Amino acid sequence: MFIKELRAYRHLLREIVIKNIKIQYRDSALGILWTFLQPLLTTLVLVFIFQNIFGRNNPAMINYPIYLLCGRLLYEFYSQSTKRAMRSIANAASVIKKVKVPKYIYPLANVISNFITFLISLLVLVGFTLFYFIIGKNPPVINWHILLTPIPLLVLFLLCLGVGLILSVLSVFFKDIEYLYDVFCVLLFYFTPIFYLPGDLKGTTALKMAQMANPLYGIVEMFRDCVLRGVMLNPRHLLYSLGFSLALLLIGGLVFWKKQDKFILHI
Amino acid sequence: MNQPAILVQDVSMMFNINSEKIDNLKEYVIRLLKRKLHYTEFWALRDVSFQVQKGERLGVLGFNGAGKSTLLKVIAGVMKPSAGRVEIQGVVAPLLELGAGFDMNYSGRENIFLYGATMGFSRAYIRERYDEILAFSELKDFIDAPVKNYSSGMRARLGFSIATAVEPDVLIVDEVLSVGDAKFRAKSEAKIKGMFDRGVTVLFVSHNTSQVRSLCTTAILLDKGKIIASGEANEVCDVYDKMVKIK
């Protein structure tokens, strides 16, 4: 039944995905270039701060700018797509109030459109990699493991969709969840080993456990296994983050399905 | 026996009046702690049943708050009734508040495809009807401008042109025959009459009994969520007119 509905509304899904991407870059002179410029510039800022001011340059990271870029690109996709999905139902209120549409289309389309711009932004990573190969200084280890890159990206997509579904339901009923989630995302940024090594986190065992429980941790590390270290994916990371993502997706789907008929009374 | 185009059976719709007002976590928690989360029930529709045969044109009459809009939303599939069931044969084109599915930053042209997709039609299907939509809306010179720069009349014209170009089986009309200027109004009335001749099933909501008399074959009269009269359009309109006089 779900598949049939999705098939019937695939045109709408496609239109909304295209619309999101088009609108995002329509009014800026540089257009889609921002997809590259934004991560490029912010990474340079972070590299400048952490490499020069805090003197971070651990050989275990192999190549600090690329190490940082990997984490930042993935985190940025996570936070952008879940935030957009969170607001998607309220943004589509005028349609949902008037026309019968499957409502999950809106969070789904927002995660997909963000995923597409995220994939385009990965070209920045390709650029960095080529640059370090050409100058021959600390190049990342590229071997056949790079073919496994889709695995962490797919897990990340599932995670974002699950979180996005849950948030979209919550924000319909409680508008102030947006502010709480913004704070949560800041916490997540510092809690995920984006600009530091996982082992750098000093503190109690409880804190370390919490770090391991963060699914983004495993996803970011797996991504680095593929494009930076050239080693096999850590199976523990894979199992945990995949299980976590699937569980959230299941919960998100159930909550959404249970509550979707009530949306119209609140938006 | 033919299946009716619209079957509404024992439909009831209940709202919790208080619960709809709390829309943030802070207030919810405060009320939860103060134990002030009690709800008042309000029945917008109660055991409403009727059928509309294919090609029939049903007028829905009633005072404000009688449940007309709720009934339309339930039939359009936007709201799920608290009880009862609604069955519809074919494609429903809701004309409630034209242009509701538009994206303001999108051009008129892009919105035609987006609006079409919202109603479940593919790009190819809309492309076939694109010229017709464009011609009818008379927006040729503005079609590449963003819709946010359109006047409300232009928006309504575009919405009307799209919703009627896709040849729906069931048309839900919520007092929209007052779209645009006199010229466009005459054109849109002619278009709707043309759709009548092709046998489209119509649900028409109005306060204006003369419009209902001229457009509809049958009618129902709603009061406080219940059907209090149904039958020939003229007879039901007479009942409604009498009620208006008493008030």
Coordinates of all heavy atoms in Angstrom, one line a residue, chain A residues 107-192:
Chain A
P107 N 8.9 15.6 4.3 CA 10.2 15.3 4.9 C 11.1 14.5 4.0 O 12.3 14.8 3.9 CB 9.9 14.6 6.2 CG 8.4 14.2 6.2 CD 7.8 15.1 5.2
L108 N 10.5 13.5 3.3 CA 11.4 12.7 2.4 C 12.0 13.5 1.3 O 13.2 13.4 1.1 CB 10.5 11.6 1.8 CG 11.2 10.7 0.8 CD1 12.3 9.8 1.5 CD2 10.1 9.7 0.2
A109 N 11.2 14.4 0.7 CA 11.8 15.2 -0.4 C 12.9 16.1 0.1 O 13.9 16.4 -0.6 CB 10.7 16.0 -1.1
N110 N 12.7 16.6 1.3 CA 13.7 17.5 1.9 C 15.0 16.8 2.2 O 16.1 17.4 2.0 CB 13.2 18.2 3.1 CG 12.4 19.5 2.8 OD1 12.9 20.5 2.4 ND2 11.1 19.3 2.9
V111 N 14.9 15.6 2.7 CA 16.2 14.9 2.9 C 16.8 14.5 1.6 O 18.0 14.6 1.4 CB 15.9 13.6 3.8 CG1 17.2 12.8 3.9 CG2 15.4 14.0 5.1
I112 N 16.0 14.1 0.6 CA 16.6 13.8 -0.7 C 17.3 15.0 -1.4 O 18.4 14.9 -1.9 CB 15.5 13.2 -1.7 CG1 15.0 11.8 -1.1 CG2 16.1 13.0 -3.1 CD1 13.9 11.2 -2.0
S113 N 16.6 16.1 -1.4 CA 17.2 17.3 -2.0 C 18.5 17.7 -1.3 O 19.5 18.1 -2.0 CB 16.2 18.4 -2.2 OG 15.8 18.8 -0.9
N114 N 18.5 17.6 0.0 CA 19.7 17.9 0.7 C 20.8 16.9 0.4 O 22.0 17.2 0.4 CB 19.5 18.0 2.2 CG 19.1 19.4 2.7 OD1 20.0 20.2 2.7 ND2 17.9 19.6 2.9
F115 N 20.4 15.7 0.2 CA 21.4 14.6 -0.1 C 22.1 14.9 -1.4 O 23.3 14.7 -1.6 CB 20.7 13.3 -0.1 CG 21.6 12.1 -0.1 CD1 22.5 11.9 1.0 CD2 21.7 11.2 -1.2 CE1 23.3 10.8 1.0 CE2 22.5 10.1 -1.1 CZ 23.4 9.9 -0.1
I116 N 21.3 15.4 -2.4 CA 21.8 15.7 -3.7 C 22.8 16.8 -3.7 O 23.9 16.7 -4.2 CB 20.7 16.0 -4.7 CG1 19.8 14.7 -5.0 CG2 21.2 16.5 -6.0 CD1 18.6 14.9 -5.7
T117 N 22.5 17.9 -3.0 CA 23.4 19.0 -2.9 C 24.6 18.6 -2.1 O 25.8 19.0 -2.4 CB 22.8 20.3 -2.2 OG1 22.1 19.9 -1.1 CG2 21.9 21.0 -3.2
F118 N 24.4 17.7 -1.1 CA 25.6 17.1 -0.3 C 26.5 16.3 -1.3 O 27.7 16.5 -1.2 CB 25.0 16.3 0.8 CG 26.0 15.3 1.4 CD1 27.1 15.7 2.1 CD2 25.9 13.9 1.2 CE1 28.0 14.9 2.6 CE2 26.8 13.0 1.7 CZ 27.9 13.5 2.4
L119 N 25.9 15.5 -2.1 CA 26.8 14.7 -3.0 C 27.6 15.7 -4.0 O 28.7 15.4 -4.2 CB 25.9 13.8 -3.9 CG 25.3 12.6 -3.1 CD1 24.5 11.7 -4.1 CD2 26.3 11.8 -2.4
I120 N 26.9 16.7 -4.4 CA 27.6 17.7 -5.2 C 28.8 18.3 -4.4 O 29.9 18.5 -4.9 CB 26.7 18.8 -5.8 CG1 25.6 18.1 -6.7 CG2 27.4 19.8 -6.6 CD1 24.5 19.1 -7.1
S121 N 28.5 18.6 -3.2 CA 29.5 19.3 -2.4 C 30.7 18.4 -2.1 O 31.8 18.9 -1.7 CB 29.0 19.8 -1.0 OG 28.7 18.7 -0.2
L122 N 30.5 17.1 -2.3 CA 31.7 16.2 -2.1 C 32.8 16.4 -3.1 O 33.9 16.0 -2.9 CB 31.2 14.7 -2.2 CG 30.4 14.1 -1.0 CD1 30.1 12.7 -1.3 CD2 31.2 14.2 0.3
L123 N 32.4 17.1 -4.2 CA 33.5 17.5 -5.2 C 34.6 18.3 -4.5 O 35.7 18.3 -5.0 CB 32.8 18.2 -6.3 CG 32.0 17.3 -7.3 CD1 31.4 18.2 -8.4 CD2 32.9 16.3 -8.0
V124 N 34.2 19.1 -3.5 CA 35.3 19.8 -2.8 C 36.3 18.9 -2.2 O 37.5 19.1 -2.3 CB 34.6 20.7 -1.6 CG1 35.7 21.4 -0.8 CG2 33.6 21.7 -2.2
L125 N 35.8 17.8 -1.7 CA 36.7 16.8 -1.1 C 37.6 16.2 -2.2 O 38.8 16.0 -2.0 CB 35.9 15.6 -0.5 CG 36.6 14.6 0.3 CD1 37.3 15.1 1.5 CD2 35.6 13.5 0.7
V126 N 37.0 15.9 -3.4 CA 37.8 15.4 -4.5 C 38.9 16.5 -4.9 O 40.0 16.1 -5.1 CB 36.9 15.2 -5.7 CG1 37.7 14.8 -6.9 CG2 35.8 14.1 -5.4
G127 N 38.5 17.7 -4.9 CA 39.4 18.8 -5.2 C 40.6 18.8 -4.2 O 41.8 18.9 -4.6
F128 N 40.3 18.8 -2.9 CA 41.3 18.7 -1.8 C 42.3 17.5 -2.0 O 43.5 17.7 -2.0 CB 40.7 18.7 -0.5 CG 40.5 20.0 0.2 CD1 39.4 20.8 -0.2 CD2 41.3 20.4 1.2 CE1 39.2 22.0 0.4 CE2 41.1 21.6 1.8 CZ 40.1 22.5 1.4
T129 N 41.7 16.4 -2.3 CA 42.4 15.1 -2.5 C 43.4 15.3 -3.6 O 44.6 15.0 -3.5 CB 41.5 13.9 -2.7 OG1 40.5 13.9 -1.7 CG2 42.3 12.6 -2.8
L130 N 42.9 15.8 -4.8 CA 43.8 16.0 -5.9 C 44.9 17.0 -5.6 O 46.1 16.8 -6.0 CB 43.0 16.5 -7.1 CG 42.0 15.5 -7.8 CD1 41.2 16.2 -8.9 CD2 42.8 14.3 -8.4
F131 N 44.5 18.0 -4.9 CA 45.5 19.1 -4.6 C 46.7 18.5 -3.8 O 47.8 18.7 -4.1 CB 44.8 20.2 -3.8 CG 45.7 21.2 -3.2 CD1 46.2 22.2 -4.1 CD2 46.1 21.2 -1.9 CE1 47.1 23.2 -3.6 CE2 46.9 22.2 -1.4 CZ 47.4 23.2 -2.2
Y132 N 46.3 17.6 -2.8 CA 47.4 17.1 -1.9 C 48.2 16.0 -2.7 O 49.4 15.8 -2.4 CB 46.9 16.6 -0.6 CG 46.6 17.7 0.3 CD1 45.3 18.2 0.5 CD2 47.7 18.3 1.0 CE1 45.1 19.3 1.4 CE2 47.4 19.4 1.8 CZ 46.2 19.9 2.0 OH 45.9 21.0 2.8
F133 N 47.6 15.4 -3.7 CA 48.3 14.4 -4.5 C 49.3 15.2 -5.4 O 50.5 14.7 -5.5 CB 47.4 13.6 -5.3 CG 47.1 12.3 -4.7 CD1 45.9 12.0 -4.1 CD2 48.1 11.3 -4.6 CE1 45.6 10.8 -3.5 CE2 47.8 10.0 -4.0 CZ 46.5 9.8 -3.5
I134 N 48.9 16.3 -5.9 CA 49.7 17.1 -6.8 C 50.9 17.7 -6.1 O 52.1 17.5 -6.5 CB 48.9 18.2 -7.5 CG1 47.9 17.5 -8.5 CG2 49.8 19.1 -8.3 CD1 46.9 18.4 -9.1
I135 N 50.7 18.3 -4.9 CA 51.8 18.9 -4.2 C 52.6 17.8 -3.4 O 53.7 18.0 -2.9 CB 51.4 20.0 -3.2 CG1 50.5 19.5 -2.1 CG2 50.7 21.1 -4.0 CD1 50.4 20.5 -0.9
G136 N 52.0 16.6 -3.3 CA 52.7 15.4 -2.8 C 53.0 15.5 -1.3 O 53.9 14.9 -0.8
K137 N 52.1 16.3 -0.6 CA 52.3 16.5 0.9 C 51.2 15.8 1.6 O 50.0 16.2 1.4 CB 52.4 17.9 1.2 CG 52.9 18.2 2.6 CD 52.9 19.7 2.8 CE 52.8 20.0 4.3 NZ 51.9 21.1 4.7
N138 N 51.4 14.8 2.5 CA 50.4 14.1 3.2 C 49.2 13.7 2.4 O 48.1 14.0 2.8 CB 49.9 14.9 4.4 CG 51.0 15.4 5.3 OD1 52.0 14.7 5.4 ND2 50.8 16.4 6.0
P139 N 49.4 13.1 1.2 CA 48.2 12.7 0.5 C 47.4 11.7 1.2 O 48.0 10.8 1.9 CB 48.7 12.2 -0.8 CG 50.1 11.7 -0.5 CD 50.6 12.5 0.6
P140 N 46.0 11.7 1.1 CA 45.2 10.6 1.7 C 45.5 9.3 1.1 O 46.0 9.2 -0.1 CB 43.8 11.1 1.5 CG 43.9 12.0 0.3 CD 45.2 12.7 0.4
V141 N 45.2 8.2 1.8 CA 45.5 6.9 1.2 C 44.3 6.5 0.4 O 43.2 6.2 0.9 CB 45.7 5.8 2.4 CG1 46.0 4.5 1.8 CG2 46.8 6.3 3.3
I142 N 44.4 6.4 -0.9 CA 43.3 6.1 -1.8 C 43.6 4.7 -2.3 O 44.6 4.5 -3.0 CB 43.1 7.1 -2.9 CG1 42.9 8.5 -2.4 CG2 42.0 6.7 -3.8 CD1 41.6 8.7 -1.6
N143 N 42.7 3.7 -2.0 CA 42.8 2.4 -2.7 C 41.4 1.9 -2.9 O 40.5 2.6 -2.9 CB 43.7 1.5 -1.8 CG 43.1 1.5 -0.3 OD1 41.9 1.6 -0.1 ND2 44.0 1.3 0.6
W144 N 41.3 0.6 -3.1 CA 40.0 0.0 -3.4 C 38.9 0.3 -2.4 O 37.7 0.3 -2.7 CB 40.1 -1.4 -3.8 CG 40.3 -2.3 -2.6 CD1 41.5 -2.7 -2.1 CD2 39.3 -2.9 -1.7 NE1 41.3 -3.5 -0.9 CE2 40.0 -3.6 -0.7 CE3 37.9 -2.9 -1.7 CZ2 39.3 -4.3 0.3 CZ3 37.2 -3.6 -0.7 CH2 37.9 -4.3 0.3
H145 N 39.3 0.6 -1.2 CA 38.3 0.9 -0.1 C 37.4 2.1 -0.4 O 36.3 2.2 0.1 CB 39.0 1.1 1.2 CG 39.6 -0.2 1.8 ND1 40.9 -0.4 1.7 CD2 39.0 -1.3 2.3 CE1 41.2 -1.6 2.2 NE2 40.0 -2.2 2.6
I146 N 37.9 2.9 -1.3 CA 37.1 4.1 -1.7 C 35.7 3.6 -2.3 O 34.7 4.4 -2.3 CB 37.8 5.0 -2.6 CG1 37.2 6.4 -2.6 CG2 37.9 4.5 -4.0 CD1 38.1 7.5 -3.1
L147 N 35.7 2.4 -2.9 CA 34.5 1.9 -3.5 C 33.4 1.7 -2.4 O 32.2 1.5 -2.7 CB 34.8 0.6 -4.2 CG 35.8 0.7 -5.4 CD1 36.0 -0.6 -6.0 CD2 35.2 1.7 -6.5
L148 N 33.8 1.6 -1.1 CA 32.8 1.3 -0.1 C 32.2 2.6 0.4 O 31.3 2.6 1.3 CB 33.5 0.6 1.1 CG 34.2 -0.7 0.8 CD1 34.9 -1.3 2.0 CD2 33.1 -1.7 0.3
T149 N 32.6 3.8 -0.1 CA 32.0 5.1 0.3 C 30.5 5.1 0.4 O 30.0 5.7 1.3 CB 32.6 6.2 -0.6 OG1 33.9 6.0 -0.8 CG2 32.3 7.5 0.1
P150 N 29.8 4.5 -0.6 CA 28.3 4.6 -0.5 C 27.7 4.0 0.7 O 26.7 4.4 1.2 CB 27.9 3.8 -1.7 CG 29.0 3.8 -2.7 CD 30.3 3.9 -1.9
I151 N 28.5 3.1 1.4 CA 27.9 2.5 2.6 C 27.7 3.5 3.7 O 26.5 3.6 4.2 CB 28.7 1.2 3.1 CG1 28.7 0.2 2.0 CG2 28.2 0.7 4.4 CD1 29.6 -1.0 2.2
P152 N 28.7 4.2 4.2 CA 28.4 5.2 5.2 C 27.4 6.2 4.8 O 26.6 6.7 5.6 CB 29.8 5.8 5.6 CG 30.7 5.4 4.5 CD 30.2 4.1 3.9
L153 N 27.5 6.6 3.5 CA 26.5 7.6 3.0 C 25.1 7.2 3.1 O 24.2 7.9 3.4 CB 26.9 8.1 1.6 CG 28.3 8.7 1.4 CD1 28.5 9.3 0.1 CD2 28.5 9.8 2.5
L154 N 24.9 5.9 2.7 CA 23.5 5.3 2.8 C 23.0 5.3 4.2 O 21.9 5.6 4.5 CB 23.5 3.9 2.1 CG 22.2 3.3 2.0 CD1 21.4 4.0 0.9 CD2 22.2 1.8 1.7
V155 N 23.9 4.8 5.1 CA 23.5 4.8 6.5 C 23.1 6.2 7.0 O 22.1 6.4 7.7 CB 24.7 4.2 7.4 CG1 24.3 4.2 8.9 CG2 25.0 2.8 7.0
L156 N 24.0 7.2 6.6 CA 23.7 8.5 7.0 C 22.3 9.0 6.5 O 21.6 9.7 7.2 CB 24.8 9.5 6.5 CG 24.7 10.9 6.9 CD1 24.7 11.1 8.4 CD2 25.9 11.7 6.3
F157 N 22.0 8.6 5.2 CA 20.8 9.0 4.6 C 19.6 8.4 5.4 O 18.6 9.2 5.8 CB 20.7 8.5 3.2 CG 19.4 8.8 2.5 CD1 19.2 10.1 1.9 CD2 18.3 7.9 2.5 CE1 18.0 10.4 1.2 CE2 17.1 8.3 1.9 CZ 17.0 9.5 1.2
L158 N 19.7 7.2 5.8 CA 18.6 6.5 6.6 C 18.5 7.2 7.9 O 17.4 7.5 8.4 CB 18.9 5.0 6.8 CG 19.0 4.2 5.5 CD1 19.4 2.8 5.9 CD2 17.6 4.2 4.8
L159 N 19.6 7.6 8.6 CA 19.6 8.2 9.9 C 18.8 9.6 9.7 O 18.0 9.9 10.5 CB 21.0 8.4 10.4 CG 21.1 9.2 11.7 CD1 20.6 8.4 12.9 CD2 22.5 9.7 11.9
C160 N 19.2 10.3 8.7 CA 18.6 11.7 8.5 C 17.1 11.5 8.3 O 16.3 12.3 8.8 CB 19.3 12.4 7.4 SG 21.0 12.8 7.7
L161 N 16.7 10.5 7.5 CA 15.3 10.4 7.2 C 14.5 10.0 8.5 O 13.5 10.6 8.7 CB 15.1 9.3 6.1 CG 13.7 9.1 5.6 CD1 13.2 10.4 5.0 CD2 13.7 7.9 4.6
G162 N 15.1 9.1 9.3 CA 14.4 8.7 10.5 C 14.3 9.9 11.5 O 13.2 10.2 12.0
V163 N 15.4 10.6 11.7 CA 15.4 11.8 12.6 C 14.4 12.8 12.0 O 13.6 13.5 12.7 CB 16.8 12.4 12.8 CG1 16.7 13.6 13.6 CG2 17.7 11.3 13.5
G164 N 14.5 13.0 10.7 CA 13.7 14.0 10.0 C 12.2 13.8 10.2 O 11.4 14.7 10.5
L165 N 11.8 12.5 10.1 CA 10.4 12.1 10.3 C 9.9 12.4 11.7 O 8.9 13.0 11.9 CB 10.2 10.6 10.0 CG 10.1 10.2 8.5 CD1 10.1 8.7 8.3 CD2 8.9 10.8 7.8
I166 N 10.7 12.0 12.7 CA 10.4 12.2 14.1 C 10.2 13.8 14.3 O 9.3 14.2 14.9 CB 11.4 11.6 15.0 CG1 11.4 10.1 14.8 CG2 11.1 12.0 16.4 CD1 12.5 9.4 15.6
L167 N 11.2 14.5 13.9 CA 11.2 16.0 14.1 C 10.0 16.6 13.4 O 9.4 17.6 14.0 CB 12.5 16.6 13.6 CG 13.7 16.3 14.5 CD1 15.0 16.8 13.8 CD2 13.6 17.0 15.8
S168 N 9.7 16.2 12.2 CA 8.6 16.8 11.5 C 7.3 16.7 12.3 O 6.5 17.6 12.3 CB 8.5 16.3 10.1 OG 8.1 15.0 10.1
V169 N 7.1 15.5 12.9 CA 5.9 15.3 13.7 C 5.9 16.1 14.9 O 5.0 16.9 15.2 CB 5.8 13.8 14.1 CG1 4.6 13.6 15.0 CG2 5.6 12.9 12.9
L170 N 7.1 16.1 15.6 CA 7.2 16.9 16.9 C 6.9 18.4 16.6 O 6.2 19.0 17.4 CB 8.6 16.7 17.5 CG 8.8 15.4 18.2 CD1 10.3 15.3 18.7 CD2 7.9 15.3 19.4
S171 N 7.5 18.9 15.5 CA 7.4 20.4 15.3 C 6.0 20.8 15.0 O 5.6 21.9 15.1 CB 8.4 20.8 14.3 OG 7.9 20.5 13.0
V172 N 5.2 19.8 14.5 CA 3.8 20.2 14.2 C 3.0 20.4 15.5 O 2.3 21.4 15.6 CB 3.1 19.0 13.4 CG1 1.6 19.2 13.4 CG2 3.6 19.0 12.0
F173 N 3.3 19.6 16.5 CA 2.6 19.8 17.8 C 3.3 20.8 18.7 O 2.6 21.4 19.5 CB 2.5 18.4 18.4 CG 1.7 17.4 17.6 CD1 2.3 16.5 16.8 CD2 0.3 17.5 17.7 CE1 1.5 15.6 16.0 CE2 -0.5 16.6 16.9 CZ 0.1 15.7 16.1
F174 N 4.6 20.8 18.6 CA 5.3 21.7 19.5 C 6.3 22.6 18.7 O 7.4 22.1 18.3 CB 6.1 21.0 20.6 CG 5.3 20.0 21.3 CD1 5.5 18.6 21.2 CD2 4.3 20.4 22.2 CE1 4.7 17.7 21.9 CE2 3.5 19.6 22.9 CZ 3.7 18.2 22.8
K175 N 5.9 23.8 18.4 CA 6.7 24.7 17.5 C 8.0 25.0 18.1 O 9.0 25.3 17.4 CB 5.9 26.0 17.2 CG 4.5 25.7 16.7 CD 4.3 26.1 15.3 CE 3.0 25.8 14.7 NZ 2.3 24.6 15.1
D176 N 8.2 25.0 19.4 CA 9.4 25.5 20.0 C 10.5 24.4 20.0 O 11.6 24.6 20.4 CB 9.2 26.0 21.5 CG 8.4 25.1 22.3 OD1 8.0 24.0 21.8 OD2 8.2 25.4 23.5
I177 N 10.2 23.2 19.4 CA 11.2 22.2 19.3 C 12.3 22.6 18.4 O 13.5 22.2 18.6 CB 10.5 20.9 18.8 CG1 11.2 19.6 19.3 CG2 10.5 20.8 17.3 CD1 10.7 19.2 20.6
E178 N 12.0 23.5 17.5 CA 13.1 24.0 16.6 C 14.3 24.6 17.4 O 15.4 24.4 17.0 CB 12.5 25.1 15.7 CG 11.8 24.5 14.5 CD 11.3 25.6 13.5 OE1 12.0 26.6 13.4 OE2 10.3 25.3 12.9
Y179 N 13.9 25.4 18.4 CA 15.0 26.1 19.1 C 15.8 25.0 19.9 O 17.1 25.1 20.0 CB 14.4 27.1 20.1 CG 13.5 28.1 19.4 CD1 12.2 28.1 19.7 CD2 14.0 28.9 18.4 CE1 11.3 29.0 19.0 CE2 13.2 29.7 17.7 CZ 11.8 29.8 18.0 OH 11.0 30.6 17.3
L180 N 15.1 24.1 20.5 CA 15.8 23.0 21.2 C 16.7 22.3 20.3 O 17.9 21.9 20.6 CB 14.8 22.1 21.9 CG 14.1 22.6 23.1 CD1 13.0 21.6 23.5 CD2 15.0 22.9 24.2
Y181 N 16.2 22.0 19.1 CA 17.0 21.2 18.2 C 18.3 21.9 17.7 O 19.3 21.3 17.5 CB 16.2 20.7 17.0 CG 16.9 19.7 16.2 CD1 17.2 18.5 16.7 CD2 17.2 20.0 14.8 CE1 17.9 17.5 15.9 CE2 17.9 19.0 14.1 CZ 18.2 17.8 14.6 OH 18.9 16.9 13.9
D182 N 18.1 23.3 17.5 CA 19.3 24.0 17.1 C 20.4 23.9 18.2 O 21.6 23.7 17.8 CB 18.9 25.5 17.0 CG 18.2 25.8 15.7 OD1 18.2 24.9 14.8 OD2 17.7 26.9 15.5
V183 N 20.0 24.0 19.4 CA 21.0 23.8 20.5 C 21.6 22.4 20.5 O 22.8 22.2 20.6 CB 20.4 24.1 21.9 CG1 21.4 23.8 23.0 CG2 19.8 25.5 21.9
F184 N 20.7 21.4 20.2 CA 21.2 20.0 20.2 C 22.2 19.9 19.1 O 23.2 19.2 19.2 CB 20.0 19.1 19.9 CG 20.4 17.7 19.7 CD1 20.7 16.9 20.8 CD2 20.5 17.2 18.5 CE1 21.0 15.5 20.6 CE2 20.8 15.8 18.2 CZ 21.1 15.0 19.3
C185 N 22.0 20.5 17.9 CA 22.9 20.4 16.8 C 24.3 21.0 17.1 O 25.3 20.4 16.7 CB 22.3 21.0 15.5 SG 21.1 20.0 14.7
V186 N 24.3 22.1 17.9 CA 25.6 22.7 18.3 C 26.3 21.7 19.2 O 27.5 21.4 19.0 CB 25.4 24.0 19.0 CG1 26.7 24.5 19.6 CG2 24.7 25.0 18.1
L187 N 25.6 21.1 20.1 CA 26.2 20.1 21.0 C 26.8 18.9 20.2 O 27.9 18.4 20.4 CB 25.1 19.6 21.9 CG 25.6 18.5 23.0 CD1 26.5 19.2 24.0 CD2 24.4 17.9 23.7
L188 N 26.0 18.5 19.2 CA 26.4 17.3 18.3 C 27.6 17.7 17.6 O 28.5 16.8 17.4 CB 25.2 17.0 17.4 CG 25.3 15.7 16.7 CD1 25.2 14.5 17.7 CD2 24.3 15.5 15.6
F189 N 27.8 18.9 17.1 CA 28.9 19.3 16.3 C 30.2 19.1 17.2 O 31.2 18.6 16.7 CB 28.8 20.8 15.9 CG 30.0 21.2 15.1 CD1 30.2 20.9 13.8 CD2 31.0 22.0 15.8 CE1 31.3 21.4 13.1 CE2 32.1 22.4 15.1 CZ 32.3 22.1 13.7
Y190 N 30.2 19.5 18.4 CA 31.4 19.4 19.2 C 31.5 18.0 19.8 O 32.6 17.6 20.2 CB 31.3 20.4 20.4 CG 31.5 21.8 19.9 CD1 30.4 22.7 19.8 CD2 32.7 22.3 19.4 CE1 30.5 23.9 19.3 CE2 32.8 23.5 18.9 CZ 31.8 24.4 18.8 OH 31.9 25.6 18.3
F191 N 30.5 17.2 19.8 CA 30.5 15.9 20.4 C 31.0 14.9 19.4 O 31.3 13.8 19.7 CB 29.1 15.6 20.9 CG 29.1 14.7 22.1 CD1 29.8 15.1 23.2 CD2 28.5 13.5 22.1 CE1 29.9 14.3 24.4 CE2 28.5 12.6 23.2 CZ 29.2 13.1 24.3
T192 N 30.9 15.2 18.1 CA 31.3 14.3 17.1 C 32.8 14.6 16.7 O 33.1 15.8 16.6 CB 30.4 14.5 15.8 OG1 29.1 14.5 16.2 CG2 30.7 13.4 14.8

